[in-house]
Amino acid sequence: METTGCRSDAEPGDALASRGWVVLPRFFDPGLVAALRDEVHRAGLVGMRRAGIGRGRQRRVLDAVRGDWIRWLDGSTAAQREFLERLEDLRIRINRALMLGLFEVEAHFALYPPGTGYECHLDAFQQDNPRRLSAVLYLNRHWRRSQGGTLAIHDARGQIVEHILPEAGTMVLFLSQTVPHAVLPTRRWRASIAAWFRVRDIGDGPGTR
Ligand SMILES: O=C(O)CCC(=O)C(=O)O
Ligand SMILES: [Fe+2]
C-alpha cells in the first residue's frame, strides 16, 4: 500500500487551542482509509463486542446510552500499523504545539448498527482518566445528512454548535475533558475508528498502589 502520510497543510494545534476541536477532512491517504474500511467490513461483527461505559469494575453496557460494537486495534495488519504510525506522528506534532504531554494512544474500530447512537458525554469525565485528546476517523463512503449519525459537538450549556458528517477520510480531534459530544441516531451502519491520546497513567507509577 502506498501512503503519503499526514498532510502538512492543516495545523490542527491552532484550532484545538482556540476552541477545543478541529475537523480535518482529508487527513489520511485515501488508500489507507480504504484499507481500514475493508478490514472492518470484512470482519463485520466477528471479533467485536458491545461497547460499555465507565471504566474497570464500573463498566456497564447500556443500549440506551451507547449502541456501538468495538474491536481494539492491535497492529495485526499493515493498515492498522500504518494508521498507528500516523497517530504517533500526530502525537509528536500536537505535543510540540500544545504541550499536552501526550504519552501514548489507544484506538478501537466502532460499528454502530442502524437505530443506535451515543448520548452526549465527555470522553474523560473522571479526574483520574488519562485521556486528553480524542480522535475519530470515519470510514463510511457517501454519507448523507438524512442518514443521521452525525457527531454533534455541544457547547458547555449543552447546545449543539456543529454537526460533523461521518464521511470516509474525515478526522475530528477534540479535547477529551472539555468538549461534550454525541453520536446522533444513525439510519445506516456507521463505521469509524475512535482513538484517545493519553498522558502517562500516574496510577501505575512508582510509589502508588
Ligand atoms: O464516532 C463518533 O463520532 C464519536 C464516538 C465517541 O464519542 C466515543 O467513542 O467516545
Ligand atoms: Fe466520545
Side-chain angles (χ1 to χ4, degrees):
M1 185 185 11
E2 199 177 283
T3 57
T4 54
C6 298
R7 310 251 168 150
S8 55
D9 47 352
E11 214 27 88
D14 298 343
L16 277 177
S18 58
R19 66 176 184 186
W21 54 277
V22 62
V23 182
L24 306 168
R26 282 172 295 280
F27 190 73
F28 295 100
D29 180 83
L32 174 59
V33 176
L36 292 165
R37 178 176 49 248
D38 287 351
E39 184 173 329
V40 74
H41 283 168
R42 244 196 330 270
L45 289 179
V46 175
M48 300 193 95
R49 65 175 170 93
R50 283 284 286 107
I53 52 166
R55 302 202 306 151
R57 298 224 309 259
Q58 254 101 61
R59 188 179 172 278
R60 302 273 178 281
V61 173
L62 290 174
D63 292 344
V65 176
R66 167 173 197 186
D68 55 330
W69 294 70
I70 63 167
R71 175 162 61 91
W72 291 95
L73 273 69
D74 57 7
S76 58
T77 65
Q80 286 189 29
R81 287 192 292 277
E82 174 77 25
F83 177 73
L84 292 168
E85 275 169 29
R86 297 281 74 81
L87 289 188
E88 178 60 14
D89 296 342
L90 181 64
R91 184 184 73 80
I92 291 164
R93 229 165 111 189
I94 297 282
N95 273 348
R96 266 196 215 118
L98 295 184
M99 321 270 192
L100 288 181
L102 305 174
F103 177 66
E104 60 192 354
V105 70
E106 56 185 352
H108 65 55
F109 290 105
L111 265 181
Y112 288 78
T116 66
Y118 193 160
E119 279 188 352
C120 190
H121 64 281
L122 290 173
D123 284 352
F125 184 63
Q126 281 154 343
Q127 281 302 319
D128 62 348
N129 192 321
R131 291 175 173 176
R132 292 293 178 275
L133 180 68
S134 306
V136 189
L137 169 68
Y138 300 108
L139 301 174
N140 322 276
R141 269 183 302 187
H142 314 305
W143 198 276
R144 292 197 308 274
R145 183 74 189 258
S146 62
Q147 293 169 325
T150 53
L151 173 68
I153 304 276
H154 293 61
D155 64 16
R157 289 169 308 166
Q159 301 295 312
I160 296 178
V161 290
E162 183 94 9
H163 284 278
I164 296 150
L165 224 57
E167 175 65 31
T170 296
M171 183 155 88
V172 187
L173 300 177
F174 54 89
L175 300 179
S176 306
Q177 296 174 300
T178 53
V179 178
H181 57 284
V183 177
L184 298 192
T186 179
R187 297 200 181 88
R188 65 177 258 206
W189 285 90
R190 178 189 192 272
S192 59
I193 298 177
W196 294 273
F197 295 92
R198 303 153 50 117
V199 292
R200 197 189 285 264
D201 200 340
I202 44 176
D204 294 340
T208 58
R209 278 193 287 166

